[in-house]
Amino acid sequence: MRIHSPSLPELHAFATAARLGSFSQAAEELSVTQGAISRAIARLEEHLGIALFAREGRRSVLTRAGADYLQAVGPSMATIESATLAVRTRRSPRQLRLSVPPTLFSYWLIPRLPDFSARHPGIGLTFAPYRRDDALTAPDIDAWIRVGQADWPAGITADYLVGRELVPICRPADLQGPQAIRTPADLLARPLLFHTNYPDNWERWFAAAGCPHGPLQPAADFDQVSLLVQAVMAGLGVAVVQRALVEPELAVGRITVAVPHTVTLDRGYHLCVPVHRAPSPALGSLRAWLLAQAAG
């Protein structure tokens, strides 16, 4: 059977450059040359037949196809990394299997996992495929991270982690010049980008900001936060998103908060565990670490 998947060095170069937004920083983190990163990504793009990055000034930003590919391969890469670490430590690892939504996985959890591995080298993590309609009862999964409010199914205990903070985002250039965004009302003059699964996010944000408006019509809608971010960076409009999912882009200045007014939702990402499961020291360590990461 022909193997269609690319090599791991190519995937690691791609994922690291995507997270850092820089080929040179990716080279430094992976202890290789910038040329090696560029060549690995070029081979991957040739193998896939798509462009994964586009240049924006001195930054390398994911194309829409690149963002989709990162979401698809990120969980599998994390599983391989965790399994390899467990073997190299030559211990009998305590194994945990988790299910995590791809967007939170890519933009919030994966950048933090090296810290967990360093603090708990004896705990091995593997990741189950994400299913939106999962009943949270599969016997081969120890815990789930899911979006929800307070109405979890009977028999499920849930700890809130992140995701309740909703902020409007735009390009840094949108805060400059005579047409700069300064107030909530200024956002109404811009194309509004919607999240397909949460079409009421803009309505909630404007209401909490005390900004009256007429019917809100989406200039475009997307079913993934990563695509919303890409659309904002491309200049298609402004979006309102959960802050926890755009921390990397905010940190490096790819996007910025359009108006410093945060709305707190009643929904967010929770760590979910069936109450009837036997106590697990490994799961207790993971829970404590996740709560500490969320609080920080």
Side-chain angles (χ1 to χ4, degrees), residues 61-266:
V61 299
L62 286 172
T63 62
R64 176 170 179 171
D68 288 344
Y69 190 61
L70 179 63
Q71 283 204 316
V73 302
S76 297
M77 291 177 64
T79 296
I80 293 171
E81 189 72 11
S82 295
T84 302
L85 178 65
V87 171
R88 291 189 64 184
T89 57
R90 298 191 180 278
R91 298 183 180 132
S92 298
R94 293 166 289 165
Q95 199 74 17
L96 293 175
R97 186 165 172 81
L98 311 177
S99 175
V100 185
T103 300
L104 186 76
F105 204 146
S106 297
Y107 293 97
W108 189 81
L109 184 57
I110 285 179
R112 291 169 165 81
L113 283 180
D115 179 78
F116 179 79
S117 297
R119 293 175 183 273
H120 303 283
I123 299 177
L125 299 179
T126 61
F127 298 92
Y130 170 73
R131 296 195 302 272
R132 184 183 296 274
D133 58 350
D134 199 323
L136 311 184
T137 57
D140 62 330
I141 298 179
D142 297 288
W144 294 255
I145 296 181
R146 287 294 184 268
V147 174
Q149 302 178 23
D151 54 346
W152 296 98
I156 297 295
T157 179
D159 293 296
Y160 169 69
L161 298 175
V162 294
R164 287 179 179 157
E165 292 184 330
L166 198 65
V167 295
I169 59 171
C170 65
R171 298 176 302 173
D174 294 329
L175 301 184
Q176 303 171 5
Q179 302 300 319
I181 297 172
R182 295 185 176 87
T183 68
D186 293 332
L187 292 168
L188 294 169
R190 304 291 179 119
L192 300 180
L193 306 178
F194 279 51
H195 195 300
T196 306
N197 298 325
Y198 304 105
D200 62 340
N201 275 355
W202 270 119
E203 185 80 33
R204 287 169 174 255
W205 190 86
F206 280 120
C211 180
H213 57 81
L216 300 177
Q217 298 297 327
D221 54 15
F222 303 88
D223 65 353
Q224 298 176 20
V225 170
S226 63
L227 301 182
L228 276 171
V229 172
Q230 291 293 318
V232 168
M233 291 193 297
L236 294 182
V238 294
V240 62
V241 297
Q242 293 160 283
R243 188 183 186 102
L245 301 183
V246 293
E247 288 177 347
E249 286 81 5
L250 290 172
V252 298
R254 294 177 188 169
I255 57 173
T256 188
V257 175
V259 177
H261 184 89
T262 299
V263 171
T264 301
L265 299 173
D266 52 3

